[in-house]
């Protein structure tokens, strides 16, 4: 069984790199928008904010550390929320580029995908037809011939590059094999527990969003990691709230945010990340659960503390 806990870690993934600006007027793009959305999510009950950056001119995903520096200090100054910086970036980027923000800014948590995979965004072209920026449509359409690369060598490079920073990793697992990859790096002593396993459901190229898929992920993680991990889930698109609810009843933690879904309910766009956080917090409380505070999250995951980052 996963590690026992009293409260539920709620992560909010604020903007990501999957959705493009034309899909929703509420998707944060500029540094000010990203900071404002992260702070509102924290106020609504998220103890972790998972952060990407975008070019403020056209919304294209970027891993330029200087753009992260434009919003991270404000978040740090105005909230005690745990900051999680992506090393996933976008599927169009290679590992060295994706690593730079986490390497230079030394957050408490950084995300890390556990394998190379097909990353199919092109089905979104069935729903979205008009685009404001010339990069958006090709970015989606060409994903039918794009591989998100994270080889064993890439994973080891990222883990070892950040080891001196004492950054903990959100281990993103899009399929069962990714759990075994995480176990492989634990066996080699490169990853150390307690792990934060983020199981990703419903993205084309990874495991599906059926309840059996959720159970299979949890059973496998329990067998591989015992009590040396915390389990969290994110459901892509329409899977977001059903999978969060299901995982919460199974003792898991949850992730929401506009990176994972643009919607608050069927056919209705979420007007903010905080909308989704408030909804999942309401669900948790209806189940008799409480969201963890940032300091409770730090204690559970054994984080180094907000004073040890490099973006204050």
């Amino acid at each position: 069984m996963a590690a026992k806990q009293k409260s539920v870690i709620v992560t909010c993934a604020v903007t990501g790199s999957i959705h493009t600006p034309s899909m929703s007027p509420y998707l944060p793009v500029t540094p000010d928008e990203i900071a404002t959305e992260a702070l509102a999510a924290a106020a609504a009950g998220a103890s972790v904010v998972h952060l990407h950056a975008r070019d403020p001119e056209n919304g294209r995903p970027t891993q330029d550390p200087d753009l992260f520096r434009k919003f991270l200090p404000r978040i740090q100054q105005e909230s005690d929320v745990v900051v999680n910086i992506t090393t996933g970036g976008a599927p169009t980027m290679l590992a060295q580029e994706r690593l730079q923000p986490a390497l230079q800014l030394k957050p408490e948590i950084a995300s890390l995908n556990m394998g190379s995979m097909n990353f199919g965004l092109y089905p979104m072209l069935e729903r979205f037809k008009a685009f404001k920026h010339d990069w958006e449509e090709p970015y989606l359409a060409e994903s039918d011939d794009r591989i998100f690369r994270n080889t064993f060598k890439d994973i080891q490079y990222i883990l070892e590059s950040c080891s001196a920073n004492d950054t903990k990793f959100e281990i993103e697992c899009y399929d069962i094999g990714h759990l075994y990859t995480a176990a492989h790096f634990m066996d080699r002593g490169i990853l150390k527990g307690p792990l934060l396993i983020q199981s990703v459901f419903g993205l084309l190229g990874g495991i599906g969003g059926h309840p059996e898929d959720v159970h299979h992920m949890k059973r496998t993680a329990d067998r591989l990691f015992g009590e040396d991990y915390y389990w969290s889930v994110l459901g892509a698109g329409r899977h977001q709230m059903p999978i969060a609810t299901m995982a919460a009843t199974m003792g898991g933690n949850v992730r929401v945010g506009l990176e994972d879904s643009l919607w608050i309910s069927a056919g209705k766009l979420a007007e903010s990340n905080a909308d989704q956080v408030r909804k999942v917090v309401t669900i948790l409380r209806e189940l008799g659960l409480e969201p963890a505070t940032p300091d409770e999250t730090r204690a559970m995951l054994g984080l180094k503390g907000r004073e040890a980052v490099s973006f204050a």
Side-chain angles (χ1 to χ4, degrees):
M1 294 294 290
K4 293 181 174 65
Q5 57 187 88
K6 295 180 180 178
S7 304
V8 177
I9 299 169
V10 177
T11 296
C12 182
V14 170
T15 188
S17 64
I18 290 176
H19 299 113
T20 71
S22 298
M23 295 179 181
S24 171
Y26 308 111
L27 186 71
V29 167
T30 68
D32 184 62
E33 290 168 348
I34 291 168
T36 296
E37 284 285 302
L39 290 166
S47 61
V48 180
V49 287
H50 170 97
L51 299 172
H52 290 239
R54 291 179 180 265
D55 184 325
E57 298 299 319
N58 60 19
R60 187 166 193 145
T62 175
Q63 287 293 95
D64 181 353
D66 286 341
L67 279 171
F68 283 81
R69 290 185 177 100
K70 289 183 183 296
F71 56 77
L72 290 175
R74 181 180 161 205
I75 296 169
Q76 179 81 350
Q77 291 159 13
E78 297 183 24
S79 173
D80 66 345
V81 70
V82 177
V83 168
N84 174 344
I85 295 178
T86 180
T87 71
T92 52
M93 305 170 185
L94 295 180
Q96 186 173 14
E97 178 184 2
R98 294 188 274 107
L99 170 64
Q100 291 310 307
L103 181 64
Q104 295 182 31
L105 299 169
K106 305 178 183 180
E108 294 185 77
I109 305 178
S111 68
L112 179 57
N113 294 15
M114 281 289 112
S116 302
M117 59 180 291
N118 293 329
F119 209 90
L121 306 179
Y122 61 91
M124 287 191 280
L125 291 170
E126 297 172 8
R127 180 185 290 267
F128 301 101
K129 306 292 186 183
F131 298 96
K132 296 183 289 188
H133 305 291
D134 59 7
W135 67 271
E136 295 180 78
E137 187 170 10
Y139 179 76
L140 301 173
E142 294 167 8
S143 68
D144 65 354
D145 193 33
R146 183 183 299 140
I147 293 172
F148 180 96
R149 175 189 159 126
N150 248 23
T151 64
F152 290 106
K153 186 175 182 178
D154 292 334
I155 294 168
Q156 183 171 345
Y157 164 66
I158 291 171
L159 289 171
E160 292 182 340
S161 295
C162 291
S163 63
N165 296 346
D166 200 22
T167 293
K168 196 88 174 180
F169 283 90
E170 172 200 17
I171 301 298
E172 294 196 347
C173 296
Y174 290 73
D175 220 333
I176 296 298
H178 292 179
L179 295 171
Y180 283 90
T181 297
H184 164 77
F185 282 105
M186 283 195 83
D187 290 343
R188 292 174 60 188
I190 298 172
L191 258 182
K192 295 179 173 60
L195 299 184
L196 172 59
I197 296 286
Q198 189 72 258
S199 296
V200 184
F201 299 93
L203 187 108
L204 185 61
I207 198 167
H210 192 279
E212 286 296 329
D213 297 321
V214 180
H215 280 290
H216 188 32
M217 268 277 197
K218 178 67 161 53
R219 285 193 301 264
T220 305
D222 282 348
R223 177 164 46 80
L224 291 174
F225 307 116
E227 294 189 1
D228 206 15
Y229 88 108
Y230 289 89
W231 184 55
S232 184
V233 302
L234 73 90
R238 62 185 174 84
H239 300 291
Q240 186 182 67
M241 293 299 169
I243 285 179
T245 304
M246 181 178 177
T249 67
M250 297 165 64
N253 303 283
V254 300
R255 178 173 128 176
V256 295
L258 297 182
E259 172 173 353
D260 304 332
S261 174
L262 295 174
W263 311 95
I264 191 65
S265 59
K268 180 176 173 54
L269 289 171
E271 296 186 10
S272 69
N273 283 276
D275 282 352
Q276 293 182 349
V277 174
R278 281 189 287 268
K279 182 169 181 175
V280 83
V281 166
T282 297
I283 291 169
L284 293 175
R285 287 177 170 151
E286 289 293 326
L287 295 171
L289 302 167
E290 282 294 320
T293 67
D295 283 343
E296 286 173 336
T297 296
R298 290 182 173 97
M300 283 190 279
L301 300 180
L303 302 183
K304 63 182 180 178
R306 64 195 304 270
E307 68 286 346
V309 301
S310 292
F311 50 81

